[in-house]
Amino acid sequence: MKVAVLGAGAIGAYVGAALHRGGTEVHLVARGPHLQAIRAGGVKVLSPRGDWVARTPATGDPAEIGPVDVVFLGLKANSYASCGPLIQPLLHAGTAVVAAQNGIPWWYFHGLPGPYEGRRIESVDPGGEVTRVLSLDRAIGCVVYCSTELESPGLVRHLEGTRFSIGEPAGGRSDRCVEFSEAMIAGGLKCPVEEDLRDDIWIKLLGNAAFNPISALARATMVEIARHQGTRAMIRLMMEETLAIAAAVGSTPDISVDKRIDGAERVGDHKTSMLQDLEKDKPLELDVILAAVVELADLTGTQAPTLRAVHAVADLLSTKIGAVPAGTR
């Protein structure tokens, strides 16, 4: 199996390094000083589970790689619609795309029996732009339970977690999922093939949809939000509303809201990805993490007043990104 990692940032480079360690032919697509560092010395991984170096091929031009069997997509979801020129050289007729994204994926209703089967979610696939670039039949879902940081060019610090749950939009255990899972496991990662990945999507989204926007609005860490009486109560309301929306589209993840909040508190002084993006003046992943949840509330007629209010304020904040020089706010 030949794999390309498109978007070899903190997560992508970590996955690529693990696949390489397990014996898979893997190529990284990166850019700038990060690409130069990988070419010079490989991907260096620092982890509580042991450090290692993966000297895997890397390029800034996917055409140098050519068609592969699997593209592991490490880009932020808000880059999917514009990634066509990068991903096209990597595709052959049977190439699968493993999309390691946060939030609601563009394929969510693909292959899902019921009243919403085949429906497009405008927030994550506006005008079908993502589907035109990433064919629904190529999609393999991936929910990441892993935390990494790009400490410096070519250097990835693995903080916790090694689980990458994957699954077909239509469910079941396909040969392509099993093959990719085995390659990930050979590299030292956990990669269960889930019969229905949507429950995993909602379990992770339960935290992301609540903590991410609040952390950006309050510029607060996970533990600060969880220990503040007002924001803890708000987070609980947002999670309860998110579970109600999940149930309305047919998912009933078995998870306790209080345990989810307690778990986030134990993470400590961790900045969410949305807060990190805000501090770097990067676009916020608001569409897939929160706007899509509100859209599904509209679709199903589910009341979600707290999610709607937080989304409105966070959406206004997102319009300010890049409006003033970084560091002057």
Side-chain angles (χ1 to χ4, degrees), residues 5-6 13 21-22 59 62-63 80 85 90 110 112 140 149 151 174 182 188 192 209 231 233 253 260 269 301 318 324:
V5 177
L6 179 56
R21 182 172 62 170
T59 180
Y80 285 4
L90 302 172
H110 178 59
L112 179 65
I140 293 176
E149 293 178 352
E151 197 161 282
S174 66
E182 289 173 348
T231 52
R260 189 72 174 82
D269 286 312
S318 71
V324 294

Side-chain angles (χ1 to χ4, degrees), residues 32 58 65 67 71 76 99 105 140 162 169 177 211 219 232 242 246 254 275 304 317:
I65 302 170
V71 175
K76 291 287 185 73
I140 293 176
T162 59
C177 277
F211 277 98
R219 294 179 180 267
R232 187 182 183 96
T242 300
D254 183 16
L275 177 55
L317 173 65

Side-chain angles (χ1 to χ4, degrees), residues 281 320-329:
D281 253 29
K320 307 292 186 181
I321 302 297
V324 294
T328 64
R329 288 194 185 90

Side-chain angles (χ1 to χ4, degrees), residues 98-185:
V98 178
Q101 70 163 94
N102 286 321
I104 300 291
W106 82 100
W107 54 259
Y108 189 85
F109 287 121
H110 178 59
L112 179 65
Y116 308 116
E117 183 173 6
R119 188 180 183 95
R120 179 169 52 80
I121 303 173
E122 186 68 21
S123 301
V124 301
D125 190 11
E129 292 179 0
V130 175
T131 298
R132 281 192 287 272
V133 174
L134 304 174
S135 166
L136 292 169
D137 291 335
R138 295 188 186 276
I140 293 176
C142 179
V143 179
V144 178
Y145 298 95
C146 173
S147 179
T148 59
E149 293 178 352
L150 193 60
E151 197 161 282
S152 62
L155 179 61
V156 175
R157 183 171 294 277
H158 171 231
L159 302 174
E160 61 178 355
T162 59
R163 180 180 165 194
F164 295 76
S165 298
I166 63 172
E168 294 283 354
R173 290 176 59 86
S174 66
D175 290 343
R176 64 182 189 172
C177 277
V178 171
E179 186 178 8
F180 184 73
S181 171
E182 289 173 348
M184 294 280 276
I185 292 168

Side-chain angles (χ1 to χ4, degrees), residues 29 33 52 55 73 107 112 155 172 187 192 209-210 217 257-258 274 291 321:
V29 181
W52 83 92
R55 298 187 180 278
L73 202 56
W107 54 259
L112 179 65
L155 179 61
L217 291 168
V257 166
D258 285 324
M274 195 171 288
I321 302 297

